[in-house]
Amino acid sequence: MHEGRLTRGQLQAWALNRYYYQSIIPIKDSIILSRGPDPAFRRAWRKRVIDHDGDASHDGAFSNAASSSNPNNNEGGIRRWLKLAEATGLNPDDVRAGKGILPATRFAVNEYLNIVRSRTLLEAVASSLTEMFSRDLITLRMEKLRQHYPWLSGGLDYFEARLTQAPEDAEFAVNYVYHNAKTRAEQELAIQALRDKCDILWAQLDALHFAYVQPGWPPPGAFRIEQVKA
Amino acid sequence: MHEGRLTRGQLQAWALNRYYYQSIIPIKDSIILSRGPDPAFRRAWRKRVIDHDGDASHDGAFSNAASSSNPNNNEGGIRRWLKLAEATGLNPDDVRAGKGILPATRFAVNEYLNIVRSRTLLEAVASSLTEMFSRDLITLRMEKLRQHYPWLSGGLDYFEARLTQAPEDAEFAVNYVYHNAKTRAEQELAIQALRDKCDILWAQLDALHFAYVQPGWPPPGAFRIEQVKA
């Protein structure tokens, strides 16, 4: 991606599959919210749900409202990701319906829900800490996307918003883990949760590579790159 | 596999990862057992747990007891799969500990647990119906394994036992689905559950192919094929 070697079809496969991940993030955060021990924790955490789901004024059909011209406008991360998918040339309704996403994407993403449901709250919070590293990556990614895929430039609002959201979220989460992982055993659990989250992200990329790069074998029912447009 | 083109290391990766699948099957079936509506259903279904877990006389350390000489001996499918893994040259304790299994294997297999927990009992039962097709496949597989990988021949007890177990299980399950999927909507749910199960099996093989065949990139922490022995 950062070397400009992806076709439009490969970027579509990425945007489509990553949408499924984006769409479950507020569900994941709602589960954590439901397990929050006190109002202060829940007040801090609910920001994440709002960041992704947006506010009521953006409900209903996908629209090309004047949202992008107003930086304070909260259309939400899911809507912003749909705009990115649309910029790759996908039909946003198909993306929203999850049509053609890889089963491996679903399995990896659903494991994230398993983790935040079944482990301790400390581990559920720690699993979000991949965000500690996202600002630098997103900065680089936006630069590279604009450079190599200029036709995608109109769809980068998602990343723009995450530049400020992710570091705020990560700061709260790392403080929570710092104060609540007191024993060595608890610290090990927190580290393992973060490792497992990395596996979840990594497995999604491996599945994309397998299906759309090398050997390039999408499983039955999965999105197929149109050879004509590629 | 059936063309004899796999190295010993690739067969090790397969046996190791598939062990994780085998090891959760009796957990999957215990969940279905716990949702069974009546004693008759549960009596029929508990056979599956016994088939995989074996009986008490085989508890404890992995042993090379006289089990294989007695066809009525029920050491259980999990133990038999460990013998297959051992025949590939793996340390059975490492296999049992799940050391080095692919995260993608875990995610796909755990999704099987999600399905039998969260969907209707009809769908949970229907998801087992891949067994309807296993007798012919297993017959062919045993023939091909003996032909191309004769050093593996001592580890095929698992498949031998499944030749009779799987058709019995499938017959009960297909009758259950036949009598309980009355509406078109129920039939569609049953079909979708079976499709999803196929995706779970397919995704495991794709992940193995990605990591150990092409491009051959095992993710961090995963089993690595020893170049010397390969």
Side-chain angles (χ1 to χ4, degrees), chain A residues 12-60:
Chain A
Q12 287 177 334
W14 165 68
L16 170 66
N17 278 275
R18 177 81 186 192
Y19 176 78
Y20 184 70
Y21 176 81
Q22 296 303 140
S23 73
I24 71 97
I25 292 300
I27 298 172
K28 182 273 289 185
D29 285 319
S30 298
I31 294 169
I32 294 179
L33 202 52
S34 78
R35 303 182 65 192
D38 55 54
F41 177 95
R42 292 193 298 271
R43 274 197 301 271
W45 208 269
R46 76 183 181 210
K47 165 185 176 296
R48 293 168 180 254
V49 180
I50 298 165
D51 283 348
H52 284 89
D53 283 337
D55 61 35
S57 63
H58 291 278
D59 259 13

Side-chain angles (χ1 to χ4, degrees), chain A residues 107 110-111 114 206 210 214-215, chain B residues 110-111 114 206 210 214-215:
Chain A
F107 304 154
N110 291 354
E111 183 72 6
N114 290 341
D206 280 359
F210 178 85
Q214 193 194 9
Chain B
N110 291 353
E111 182 71 6
N114 289 341
D206 280 359
F210 178 85
Q214 191 192 11

Side-chain angles (χ1 to χ4, degrees), chain B residues 23-42:
Chain B
S23 74
I24 71 96
I25 292 301
I27 297 171
K28 182 274 290 186
D29 285 319
S30 299
I31 294 168
I32 294 180
L33 203 51
S34 78
R35 303 182 65 193
D38 56 55
F41 177 94
R42 292 193 299 272

Side-chain angles (χ1 to χ4, degrees), chain A residues 67-135:
Chain A
S67 49
S68 51
S69 60
N70 176 1
N72 296 319
N73 193 311
N74 189 8
E75 57 189 342
I78 293 181
R79 179 68 52 94
R80 291 192 189 101
W81 196 274
L82 274 178
K83 286 166 68 175
L84 174 65
E86 203 178 13
T88 68
L90 291 171
N91 176 332
D93 290 330
D94 289 349
V95 176
R96 212 193 302 245
K99 218 173 122 181
I101 65 164
L102 296 170
T105 300
R106 259 191 290 129
F107 304 154
V109 170
N110 291 354
E111 183 72 6
Y112 200 10
L113 297 179
N114 290 341
I115 285 175
V116 299
R117 272 194 194 108
S118 66
R119 300 200 195 171
T120 63
L121 182 61
L122 171 68
E123 291 163 275
V125 170
S127 68
S128 75
L129 287 176
T130 42
E131 285 169 337
M132 287 175 68
F133 313 99
S134 70
R135 184 163 48 186

Side-chain angles (χ1 to χ4, degrees), chain B residues 118-163:
Chain B
S118 66
R119 300 200 194 170
T120 63
L121 181 61
L122 172 67
E123 291 163 275
V125 170
S127 69
S128 76
L129 287 177
T130 43
E131 286 170 335
M132 286 175 68
F133 313 98
S134 71
R135 183 161 50 184
D136 290 351
L137 178 61
I138 289 177
T139 304
L140 177 68
R141 174 157 301 167
M142 288 178 76
E143 183 192 317
K144 295 296 184 183
L145 289 176
R146 286 202 179 100
Q147 175 187 345
H148 297 300
Y149 317 98
W151 45 271
L152 208 54
S153 299
L156 303 183
D157 288 1
Y158 172 83
F159 296 116
E160 194 73 61
R162 293 306 293 162
L163 278 177

